[in-house]
């Protein structure tokens, strides 16, 4: 008869897996992907290295799950910021402001997400990450075009270009470990100009 885990055993394994991911997230913020070896994560989580393989096949498998966990949080935060705004232009500005602000507050983690050399499986996940933000921005651009707030354009293409440009512009400050002070306003103004709006700064925030 095949062994079947009891609910209690499964609960312990689930708790251990959650602890492992929490440890990996903390190490990513401190040391980047290079510091997230299986042994290092196991030590931070307080378990034996061999126990890691109950949850992950190896470092690549762990890195993918780590990437998805952290990116999921970033996408959720940006989506929440977008939903608080009342106009498409402000929503695009909210994507830029929120993404850049969160990145610059945790530069080591953000650099790991955007640019640090990593396994090919992580590079594949980065494409999914970029597409998620592209689609979020594209939806706001399409709404603004339909309402006449922006000139006609390929919303998906413009959004992809913005995601690429913003990510590239952040790499320097992230690698340097901080925000020179004007990065977020400059990126927001750039994004709105790229969309075809004449304002050099985002429209005023709505009262909440």
């Amino acid at each position: 008869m095949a062994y079947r885990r009891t609910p209690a055993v499964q609960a312990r394994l689930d708790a251990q897996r959650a602890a492992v991911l929490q440890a990996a997230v903390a190490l990513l913020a401190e040391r980047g992907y290079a510091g997230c070896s299986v042994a290092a994560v196991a030590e931070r989580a307080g378990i034996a290295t061999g126990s890691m393989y109950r949850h992950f096949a190896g470092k690549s498998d762990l890195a993918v799950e780590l990437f998805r966990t952290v990116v999921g949080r970033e996408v959720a935060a940006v989506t929440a910021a977008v939903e608080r705004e009342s106009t498409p232009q402000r929503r695009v500005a909210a994507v830029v402001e929120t993404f850049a602000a969160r990145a610059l507050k945790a530069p080591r983690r953000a650099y790991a997400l955007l640019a640090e050399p990593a396994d090919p499986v992580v590079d594949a996940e980065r494409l999914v990450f970029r597409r998620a933000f592209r689609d979020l921005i594209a939806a706001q651009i399409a709404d603004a075009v339909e309402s006449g707030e922006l000139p006609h354009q390929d919303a998906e293409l413009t959004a992809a270009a913005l995601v690429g440009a913003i990510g590239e512009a952040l790499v320097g400050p992230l690698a340097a470990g901080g925000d020179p002070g004007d990065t977020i306003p400059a990126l927001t103004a750039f994004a709105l100009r790229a969309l075809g709006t004449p304002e050099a700064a985002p429209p005023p925030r709505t009262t909440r």
Side-chain angles (χ1 to χ4, degrees):
M1 176 182 286
Y3 170 73
R4 296 181 65 182
R5 291 172 180 165
T6 66
V9 169
Q10 188 61 54
R12 285 197 297 272
L13 288 172
D14 290 345
Q16 189 177 75
R17 180 184 174 88
V20 166
L21 282 173
Q22 184 177 354
V25 169
L27 282 174
L28 182 72
E30 295 171 13
R31 308 178 192 173
Y33 278 120
C36 290
S37 67
V38 171
V41 173
E43 181 179 4
R44 177 63 65 93
I47 65 174
T49 300
S51 297
M52 290 285 290
Y53 296 99
R54 295 178 182 174
H55 308 290
F56 304 100
K59 184 178 179 181
S60 293
D61 190 30
L62 172 62
V64 167
E65 189 66 25
L66 170 59
F67 192 94
R68 290 175 180 173
T69 298
V70 176
V71 166
R73 295 175 185 177
E74 298 305 305
V75 172
V78 171
T79 300
V82 167
E83 291 173 349
R84 289 193 293 266
E85 301 295 344
S86 60
T87 68
Q89 279 182 261
R90 266 303 326 160
R91 290 180 192 130
V92 172
V95 174
V96 178
E97 291 166 354
T98 305
F99 177 76
R102 288 175 64 84
L104 291 166
K105 284 180 181 177
R108 191 67 189 87
R109 180 185 66 198
Y111 183 78
L113 293 179
L114 290 171
E116 182 181 353
D119 295 334
V121 291
V122 172
D123 287 333
E125 291 296 321
R126 283 181 173 138
L127 292 177
V128 177
F129 177 37
R130 292 180 189 131
R131 287 171 189 147
F133 281 100
R134 178 203 65 191
D135 292 346
L136 187 59
I137 294 173
Q140 312 316 316
I141 295 173
D143 285 348
V145 169
E146 185 175 354
S147 67
E149 294 178 59
L150 291 177
H152 177 74
Q153 56 195 287
D154 184 324
E156 190 172 290
L157 179 63
T158 302
L162 283 175
V163 169
I166 292 166
E168 183 64 26
L170 284 172
V171 167
L174 293 176
D179 181 5
D182 59 353
T183 302
I184 296 173
L187 281 176
T188 305
F190 161 76
L192 293 175
R193 286 195 301 269
L195 295 176
T197 184
E199 292 89 346
R205 290 183 179 275
T206 54
T207 302
R208 297 183 186 132

